[in-house]
Amino acid sequence: MNLLDLREKFWSVECIDGITEPGSDLITKLGQPVPTETIQGNISPYFVERFGFNPECKILSFTGDNPSSFAGMCLGSDDIAVSLGTSDTVFLSLKKLPEEGFPEGHILTNPIASSEEYMGLLCFKNGSFTRERIKKAIAEDSWTLFNELLDSTPRGNFGNIGFYYDLQEILPKVNAGDHRFNREGLKLLRFSGLEIEIRALIEGQFLAKRVYAEKIGCQISKDTRVLATGGGSINHKILQVLSDVFNASVYIQDTMNAADLGACYRLKHALQEGSMLKFSEIVGSKHGFSLCCVPSPDSSEIYDPMVQRYIELEQSIQLLSKTST
């Protein structure tokens, strides 16, 4: 993946030269990159004879689990997928590449529109384990109490913002540790209430996702939809905060196997080779999604300024992390 020139859709000669000896035939060994909807041919006779496959069974080009989940969610240009798991993941469709490099996150070819669009992928290491830690420490290990405390605080949390890292984070790259700030930007040892701590955790995690999504080209508009998946998506109180921070409606998917579903969708699309129909025209869109939350009327007024404050506070944490290593 890291050797592919996304603009040219071919292996980067510069990257290949950087990792091989002169005269290497690595490009030949890698083969020609092809769109993800390309049928490679019929299944090998070995699998026909050994396992009884139909000899006319088609083999589709490979893709990874996250791009396959992207396909399973039928992500469109106005959609943002947020997977809440051990590590939280954000992926979205990008119409073009950033003009000036891409210092953080990942960009891949779009698995359902590989010839003209791209897929942005952001991974946040401190996800559900961090939420579990705070639940155990503050809410008696009860999601019911956790949600009650979350609901008892207003949106914006009186200006308090928290950063919680059980492990060294990926986005941003900072050391493990918890960081708490009041509305004046002063660092605190602890917040004044348990409910403030819980809202600071959830708002902080989702502010990070919005900040980095916007950094790679995401433009939130009235048409934006957030598609939530992963184990954490069963908690609708948390998803309401997600909806408010992004100022967008949140949908949840009935199936928990988006990657498997995406593989089936991609195959259905590939078998229509030559039809010139787009992925969405063949498989439809938003299969199995239902509306879960809508943003509160004052979401933009509250969270747009918090996004900028989050960026500034994050920079101070990054500086502290660099000086302590």
Side-chain angles (χ1 to χ4, degrees):
M1 178 181 72
N2 292 329
L3 297 177
L4 185 69
D5 184 326
L6 289 170
R7 290 184 173 85
E8 300 299 328
K9 303 294 192 297
F10 192 73
W11 307 115
S12 167
V13 175
E14 183 178 1
C15 290
I16 295 290
D17 289 345
I19 63 169
T20 60
E21 298 292 335
S24 167
D25 63 345
L26 179 58
I27 288 182
T28 302
K29 293 177 180 177
L30 289 172
Q32 174 74 34
V34 296
T36 56
E37 63 270 20
T38 302
I39 294 290
Q40 296 284 1
N42 290 347
I43 195 167
S44 164
Y46 169 83
F47 289 96
V48 175
E49 297 170 6
R50 179 71 174 82
F51 299 104
F53 277 86
N54 187 321
E56 296 302 314
C57 176
K58 305 300 180 185
I59 302 299
L60 178 65
S61 300
F62 172 81
T63 193
D65 58 341
N66 283 313
S68 195
S69 294
F70 184 108
M73 294 175 138
C74 303
L75 287 187
S77 57
D78 294 314
D79 298 328
I80 304 168
V82 177
S83 177
L84 301 175
T86 303
S87 293
D88 290 344
T89 308
V90 175
F91 37 100
L92 62 152
S93 177
L94 300 173
K95 291 188 178 298
K96 61 180 182 179
L97 295 174
E99 297 294 335
E100 298 181 4
F102 187 63
E104 296 165 305
H106 307 277
I107 294 183
L108 302 86
T109 56
N110 188 314
I112 60 178
S114 59
S115 62
E116 66 267 4
E117 294 184 8
Y118 304 91
M119 169 185 169
L121 173 64
L122 305 169
C123 187
F124 302 84
K125 186 182 295 185
N126 295 279
S128 63
F129 283 172
T130 303
R131 292 187 287 272
E132 288 278 355
R133 170 172 66 89
I134 298 299
K135 173 177 66 78
K136 290 178 181 178
I138 292 178
E140 302 173 4
D141 202 15
S142 164
W143 282 117
T144 300
L145 179 56
F146 184 99
N147 290 342
E148 289 174 358
L149 291 169
L150 178 62
D151 255 359
S152 70
T153 48
R155 291 179 296 281
N157 206 17
F158 305 107
N160 296 292
I161 296 180
F163 300 75
Y164 299 83
Y165 307 124
D166 287 17
L167 304 168
Q168 184 183 62
E169 186 50 89
I170 300 170
L171 296 172
K173 187 176 181 181
V174 295
N175 295 330
D178 296 340
H179 308 270
R180 303 170 180 86
F181 299 89
N182 64 14
R183 65 186 304 168
E184 285 79 32
L186 298 177
K187 193 166 186 180
L188 308 174
L189 288 176
R190 62 184 63 86
F191 287 123
S192 59
L194 303 181
E195 68 281 5
I196 293 177
E197 186 90 57
I198 286 177
R199 181 162 283 272
L201 164 69
I202 301 302
E203 286 187 343
Q205 288 188 329
F206 291 148
L207 283 167
K209 292 167 179 56
R210 175 174 164 179
V211 165
Y212 281 94
E214 291 180 334
K215 278 186 177 182
I216 65 170
C218 173
Q219 296 181 338
I220 298 173
S221 70
K222 61 180 179 61
D223 298 319
T224 298
R225 291 179 287 192
V226 178
L227 310 182
T229 186
S233 65
I234 64 173
N235 190 323
H236 292 191
K237 296 296 184 182
I238 288 178
L239 295 187
Q240 183 60 58
V241 180
L242 174 62
S243 178
D244 289 335
V245 170
F246 277 81
N247 192 29
S249 296
V250 171
Y251 293 76
I252 53 176
Q253 195 172 26
D254 296 337
T255 179
M256 296 297 288
N257 298 312
D260 295 342
L261 184 61
C264 296
Y265 284 167
R266 291 179 53 249
L267 181 58
K268 183 176 181 179
H269 180 214
L271 290 175
Q272 305 299 317
E273 187 177 14
S275 69
M276 303 302 291
L277 292 175
K278 293 184 177 180
F279 182 90
S280 60
E281 294 173 322
I282 293 174
V283 305
S285 61
K286 314 299 170 297
H287 287 281
F289 276 96
S290 56
L291 178 64
C292 176
C293 308
V294 296
S296 304
D298 58 356
S299 292
S300 179
E301 177 184 346
I302 292 172
Y303 290 108
D304 287 357
M306 285 187 74
V307 165
Q308 186 56 45
R309 286 192 59 222
Y310 182 95
I311 292 172
E312 294 169 358
L313 294 173
E314 183 189 79
Q315 289 172 345
S316 71
I317 294 172
Q318 287 178 295
L319 180 62
L320 177 64
S321 185
K322 288 179 181 179
T323 57
S324 62
T325 55

